[in-house]
Amino acid sequence: MPSKHQFDAVVLGAGSAGFAAARTAAAAGLNVAVVDGAPELGGLCILRGCMPTKTLLEAAHVRHLAQRSGTWGVRVPEAQFDWPAILRRKDELVRGWAEYRREQLNGGKFALIRAQARFLDPHRLVLDDGQTVEAPRFVIATGSVVSPPPLPQLEAVGCLTSDDALSLDTPPRSMIVLGGGPVALEFAQFFARLDVEVTLVQRSDHVLRGLDDDTAQAVEAALRREGLRVLTGTRLVGAARNASGTSVRFERAGRVETAAADQVLLALGRSPNTAALDLEKADVRTEKGRILANAEQQTSAPHIYAAGDCCGPHDLVHLAVQQGEVAGHNLAHANAPRRMDYRLLVRVVFTEPQVAAVGFTEKEARAAGLEPLVASYPFSDHGKSVILDARDGFVKLLADARTGEIMGASVVGPLGGELIHEIVAAMHGRMTVQQLAALPHYHPTLAEIWTYPAEDLAASQQSMPRKPFT
């Protein structure tokens, strides 16, 4: 192997964003290399994120349904779970997805270099074996890592990370989950449904602080009803470990409180994986480790692009793929660039009830100085959700007061992650609430619940001019 490699473009990272960038650039006719030195190929989503966690959540959901089967007149004498079997199914599925991704990466459409790399200058990388890689254009897609603990005491007591939680030998008897975002909530409910005594400790006044308060409150109520202890409005001040487990101290409502458990799960987010890249040598600017990129995914060095968790602004795999495609296209077609559009930003939390949103939340719209029309409808008064005994939550629609165009939607309720896509499609077509209200829906279905807030908003806009469907 020569000591120097030259390519038209080099992609750092073989996860979802990096693969999308490499595939797109190679399809444009460029000689592309992907450089990745991770112990295992596949990326966060496949190996330690979306796919394994949702597999575990489904196991807990099935068990939870079995325990409640009497609601529907069905008798299940016991609803025990087999922890090794749960992990075995998760591992088998992940292995299949990872093998398919490895086949794609080794398919010959681009070169795959298995090595760690860092920049020597804006056009050269040095690999961990001393060889160099040169290219006129680059995409950085190195993903993220678990954020360090906010207190040194937490590091000293040995907290679990989300990576650790995927492969425990056995569930603990009790667990403190630090955090109130999607990862924290999903793991908290998963373990609680497998008989773990869970205490959730969140800094802000509500969980899911990026979403509306009414959405967060509905989730909190459901979790508390399942037996989780949900503590919000806290500030961590210390932690200690002894023979009986770990204790965490925090301030809440002006008092110092203590929670104790066998294990503590640190679920306070992830940080960009950029520390070892020597980005300053490539003239790539960062902010707290996050690469600064514009809507064309271009960094401060015009020939270097970034995609995925290393640049954000939203750490979501479907956006990472889109960003990778935009970056791959733009480095190949600099005279006809594409741009990211976050108007249809979708967010989903796979708790039960599920939480999802697209476009503006009510909080975001008002913070932006907008005054949208807002209407909601509860699942407790909806036929199909009553049949399912899934009565928590509601759907909410936001519409432009002048035109009636749908600006956003939120759902907290059964299959919310699926239901939100009806509004994604509507917003993609720039539909108005009148058009959504007129759209036929089969009865009884969960999806027809959207017609009720749409009808309410349409009724208040009788004199509003209709926009053509595009």
Side-chain angles (χ1 to χ4, degrees):
M1 182 180 290
S3 62
K4 182 172 71 173
H5 308 272
Q6 292 181 306
F7 299 93
D8 296 331
V10 173
V11 178
L12 281 168
S16 297
F19 174 68
R23 179 187 58 196
T24 304
L30 299 186
N31 180 23
V32 179
V34 175
V35 180
D36 193 306
E40 186 177 3
L41 289 175
L44 174 64
C45 174
I46 291 175
L47 298 176
R48 300 178 304 281
C50 317
M51 308 310 285
T53 58
K54 280 41 175 186
T55 302
L56 295 182
L57 285 170
E58 189 61 24
H61 171 65
V62 171
R63 196 232 180 175
H64 184 67
L65 279 179
Q67 290 176 312
R68 299 173 55 240
S69 62
T71 300
W72 297 274
V74 178
R75 295 180 180 178
V76 178
E78 294 186 12
Q80 302 300 318
F81 66 91
D82 183 338
W83 179 255
I86 290 173
L87 294 190
R88 192 161 51 247
R89 180 173 188 267
K90 179 262 299 181
D91 291 340
E92 289 172 356
L93 293 178
V94 168
R95 190 178 304 114
W97 291 315
E99 286 176 357
Y100 179 61
R101 176 54 53 84
R102 286 193 292 271
E103 290 173 4
Q104 292 176 308
L105 289 166
N106 287 294
K109 295 182 179 179
F110 41 77
L112 176 63
I113 300 174
R114 298 288 282 120
Q116 299 290 342
R118 57 185 173 82
F119 281 95
L120 283 174
D121 58 47
H123 291 282
R124 287 190 304 158
L125 298 171
V126 62
L127 307 182
D128 50 13
D129 63 0
Q131 299 185 72
T132 60
V133 176
E134 295 184 4
R137 289 155 288 190
F138 293 86
V139 178
I140 304 170
T142 49
S144 62
V145 294
V146 174
S147 296
L151 295 175
Q153 298 98 315
L154 288 171
E155 189 165 4
V157 300
C159 296
L160 298 173
T161 68
S162 56
D163 294 353
D164 302 323
L166 292 171
S167 55
L168 291 173
D169 291 337
T170 185
R173 291 172 301 173
S174 57
M175 175 181 285
I176 298 169
V177 178
L178 301 180
V183 172
L185 296 186
E186 290 174 6
F187 271 114
Q189 189 172 52
F190 166 72
F191 280 109
R193 287 185 167 185
L194 298 185
D195 302 334
V196 178
E197 182 182 311
V198 175
T199 299
L200 185 81
V201 181
Q202 160 70 343
R203 181 176 60 181
S204 59
D205 291 338
H206 292 291
V207 301
L208 302 175
R209 61 178 181 168
L211 299 178
D212 289 334
D213 288 351
D214 52 2
T215 298
Q217 289 166 352
V219 176
E220 291 169 4
L223 294 178
R224 288 182 175 122
R225 192 172 61 248
E226 287 192 19
L228 285 80
R229 187 182 179 207
V230 180
L231 307 177
T232 59
T234 70
R235 185 177 72 87
L236 294 173
V237 295
R241 187 167 184 83
N242 55 39
S244 61
T246 302
S247 61
V248 174
R249 292 186 299 112
F250 49 89
E251 290 183 357
R252 187 167 71 113
R255 298 173 51 193
V256 175
E257 301 182 27
T258 300
D262 291 343
Q263 295 280 4
V264 175
L265 173 61
L266 188 69
L268 296 172
R270 300 180 67 87
S271 301
N273 183 24
T274 60
L277 297 179
D278 286 352
L279 293 177
E280 66 280 358
K281 294 181 180 179
D283 299 327
V284 173
R285 292 180 56 210
T286 63
E287 186 175 275
K288 296 181 179 179
R290 189 174 293 277
I291 296 173
L292 301 176
N294 61 22
E296 296 174 7
Q297 299 307 127
Q298 194 173 42
T299 72
S300 54
H303 68 290
I304 300 178
Y305 297 79
D309 291 1
C310 66
C311 66
H314 308 287
D315 297 346
L316 301 168
V317 69
H318 73 286
L319 292 182
V321 171
Q322 292 176 36
Q323 289 175 343
E325 291 171 346
V326 167
H329 170 88
N330 289 347
L331 65 81
H333 305 284
N335 295 327
R338 295 176 180 170
R339 297 172 62 85
M340 287 295 297
D341 178 7
Y342 297 107
R343 184 178 70 88
L344 299 180
L345 174 64
V346 183
R347 291 153 283 184
V348 179
V349 185
F350 290 89
T351 49
E352 190 179 4
Q354 289 185 6
V355 181
V358 60
F360 280 109
T361 64
E362 185 176 0
K363 184 193 308 185
E364 290 168 342
R366 300 198 188 285
L370 305 174
E371 291 297 332
L373 296 174
V374 181
S376 61
Y377 196 85
F379 281 102
S380 60
D381 192 41
H382 184 56
K384 185 57 183 289
S385 55
V386 171
I387 291 170
L388 297 173
D389 196 39
R391 304 167 190 249
D392 289 313
F394 54 87
V395 294
K396 182 195 295 188
L397 274 179
L398 281 70
D400 184 282
R402 183 179 58 86
T403 65
E405 181 177 339
I406 299 169
M407 298 170 52
S410 299
V411 51
V412 50
L415 295 178
E418 309 298 328
L419 291 178
I420 199 65
H421 286 83
E422 176 164 342
I423 308 304
V424 176
M427 289 181 62
H428 183 268
R430 294 194 174 274
M431 289 178 66
T432 63
V433 287
Q434 289 96 331
Q435 290 169 324
L436 179 59
L439 194 67
H441 285 75
Y442 197 86
H443 174 78
T445 61
L446 288 173
E448 67 178 330
I449 195 171
W450 289 117
T451 62
Y452 303 125
E455 288 168 354
D456 289 345
L457 294 179
S460 67
Q461 288 287 303
Q462 291 297 324
S463 61
M464 182 181 64
R466 293 194 174 212
K467 294 184 64 178
F469 182 86
T470 56

